[in-house]
Amino acid sequence: MPNRQEKCRILIVEDHQMMIDGLCSLLKGSLRYEIAGTALNGKDAIKQIPTVKPDIVLSDISMPEMSGIELTKEDRKSTRLNSSHTDISRMPSSA
């Protein structure tokens, strides 16, 4: 996690662009958080994590190609998050 002067970097993983836009809008101008990147599914997120180096991955659970749960399992298996101390939070899918 970042020290007190650094912003916490967030990667948003969500298959609905309107949700991504809403979350980005909420976090815009935050003194504590910054958007490190966005991905439309877990596969895209897996590719971005090593480059973007987020502190937190905020992920939807239900997505095409790779769900948020599969994303967590895959990334824990590859130890990318374990070595960088990134946390993954999953958002419940809306009905």
Side-chain angles (χ1 to χ4, degrees):
M1 283 298 191
N3 65 39
R4 292 198 181 263
Q5 281 108 14
E6 295 174 353
K7 288 187 176 186
C8 185
R9 296 172 50 77
I10 300 174
L11 173 63
I12 298 172
V13 187
E14 167 61 61
D15 60 327
H16 293 98
Q17 189 62 48
M18 186 172 15
M19 284 293 293
I20 291 173
D21 294 345
L23 289 167
C24 288
S25 178
L26 264 172
L27 295 169
K28 184 179 180 183
S30 170
L31 299 175
R32 295 184 68 194
Y33 304 102
E34 70 179 336
I35 304 301
T38 63
L40 293 172
N41 60 58
K43 284 185 178 181
D44 289 341
I46 288 288
K47 292 175 189 171
Q48 287 188 41
I49 288 171
T51 306
V52 173
K53 296 182 173 67
D55 299 302
I56 297 172
V57 175
L58 182 60
S59 175
D60 189 357
I61 291 175
S62 177
M63 295 179 290
E65 295 188 49
M66 181 185 280
S67 72
I69 293 170
E70 293 168 320
L71 163 63
T72 305
K73 288 178 183 177
E74 179 66 28
D75 212 60
R76 292 289 182 210
K77 233 189 319 184
S78 69
T79 68
R80 283 183 219 146
L81 292 184
N82 288 336
S83 63
S84 65
H85 306 291
T86 301
D87 293 324
I88 295 184
S89 298
R90 292 171 296 283
M91 299 179 288
S93 57
S94 55

